[in-house]
Amino acid sequence: MIRLSLTFSLLFAALSAVAQEKWTYLNNGTIRIGVNETAGAGIGWFSESAVDRNILNRHDLGRYVQQSWYGKQDGSHWNKKPWRWNPVQAGGWQGERAKIIEFQATENRVFAKSLPKHWASGTDIEDVIFEEEITLHGPVAKIHFTMRYSGKNEHPIHDQELPAVFVNADFANLAFIKPGETTPHQYQPGWPNERHKIHNHWVAYLDGNNRGIGVLVPGVDTITCYRFGKAGQKGACSYVAPIRRIVITPGFEFEYDVYLTIGTLPE
């Protein structure tokens, strides 16, 4: 009876958290994108305007399209695994939601300034500010991310996700152009992470109809990717992140653009 009561308590808490979420959407009649105001304005919805099918996977707060940065090991633990300094835009791994400092929304633009959570500890990282600006341009969503670090620690060089992108597992086929080639390479990533060089700075995840999401980050020519589980399984997803190796030092600021679109591979 105690175990059953605990299960119901956890389920009630989870349902209550979902019920209390506040979402804001941009919709230009071609594409629709949504941010969760109760989770650092992390991007958790991306679809065509006329289709109620979200491509993005938001199984937990780590799977939003969002900023996530990595620094030195700091004694923290994620699910009993040693972890490192890791500000995440949406929140921590046990459901701690990041706070929004400033939020603006018009018909054509969303702007958010947020205070990230440490992924492992769930505490506020007060020496980091994230900014996010989203605008729609026909079939393309443009996201401008900014990271500002006011801390005093020197963090070693590390792969940084620019940004992390998680999509639903039925988008299984990863497509990109390899350096020196002109036609897209398609395959299904495995587990754990794989690393690839890409040409033209774009990558796509496609479903069985050769339709899906395209991600372009100018200036980035490396990706890391994996697939976890199979379509229909709890927690299953397809993951990709354009990455660069970056050092975070006192006074560090970094801005970059991300472009998302939906369509077939030729599109």
Side-chain angles (χ1 to χ4, degrees):
M1 180 63 72
I2 293 175
R3 184 174 297 173
L4 186 61
S5 297
L6 179 59
T7 299
F8 277 118
S9 296
L10 292 173
L11 178 60
F12 179 77
L15 291 174
S16 297
V18 171
Q20 294 170 5
E21 289 181 348
K22 184 179 180 182
W23 287 81
T24 292
Y25 297 90
L26 293 179
N27 188 339
N28 66 357
T30 302
I31 54 175
R32 181 181 180 217
I33 193 167
V35 302
N36 188 346
E37 292 185 50
T38 53
I43 300 168
W45 184 281
F46 190 55
S47 71
E48 295 172 277
S49 294
V51 181
D52 192 26
R53 182 197 187 194
N54 185 18
I55 293 178
L56 302 182
N57 183 292
R58 57 174 195 257
H59 178 71
D60 58 45
L61 293 177
R63 293 194 183 180
Y64 285 70
V65 176
Q66 62 182 334
Q67 296 197 68
S68 174
W69 292 79
Y70 298 90
K72 65 180 183 180
Q73 292 185 336
D74 58 3
S76 64
H77 288 78
W78 167 37
N79 199 20
K80 300 181 180 180
K81 300 175 184 178
W83 206 241
R84 61 182 64 240
W85 184 83
N86 181 198
V88 174
Q89 183 179 340
W93 80 280
Q94 296 191 85
E96 307 93 346
R97 294 171 180 268
K99 303 171 186 175
I100 288 180
I101 301 169
E102 181 182 346
F103 189 80
Q104 303 169 15
T106 66
E107 183 179 350
N108 303 310
R109 175 181 177 266
V110 164
F111 173 82
K113 185 181 294 186
S114 60
L115 186 70
K117 291 285 189 181
H118 191 299
W119 174 247
S121 69
T123 56
D124 290 335
I125 296 187
E126 297 183 349
D127 53 13
V128 172
I129 295 294
F130 286 156
E131 291 184 8
E132 167 190 87
E133 182 182 46
I134 306 172
T135 52
L136 301 187
H137 308 269
V140 177
K142 178 183 178 182
I143 306 138
H144 184 76
F145 284 124
T146 304
M147 187 273 209
R148 292 187 171 90
Y149 174 61
S150 60
K152 298 181 179 179
N153 289 321
E154 300 243 356
H155 295 278
I157 192 168
H158 198 280
D159 284 346
Q160 307 293 354
E161 299 169 303
L162 302 175
V165 179
F166 291 85
V167 301
N168 292 322
D170 50 337
F171 296 89
N173 300 314
L174 188 70
F176 58 90
I177 297 178
K178 294 181 176 181
E181 299 186 2
T182 57
T183 57
H185 169 72
Q186 287 194 58
Y187 87 113
Q188 291 192 14
W191 173 268
N193 287 67
E194 302 173 11
R195 191 184 187 98
H196 300 281
K197 287 289 186 180
I198 63 172
H199 182 58
N200 288 350
H201 316 300
W202 67 265
V203 63
Y205 259 121
L206 309 169
D207 62 13
N209 296 317
N210 205 37
R211 190 171 184 82
I213 182 172
V215 183
L216 169 69
V217 182
V220 177
D221 60 7
T222 305
I223 59 169
T224 183
C225 59
Y226 63 73
R227 274 179 48 77
F228 176 76
K230 297 180 180 180
Q233 292 181 336
K234 183 179 180 180
C237 68
S238 297
Y239 160 83
V240 66
I243 57 173
R244 283 177 59 182
R245 291 183 64 76
I246 298 174
V247 175
I248 300 173
T249 57
F252 176 83
E253 292 189 8
F254 191 86
E255 300 183 42
Y256 65 102
D257 292 321
V258 179
Y259 299 86
L260 303 180
T261 193
I262 299 172
T264 62
L265 191 55
E267 290 171 331

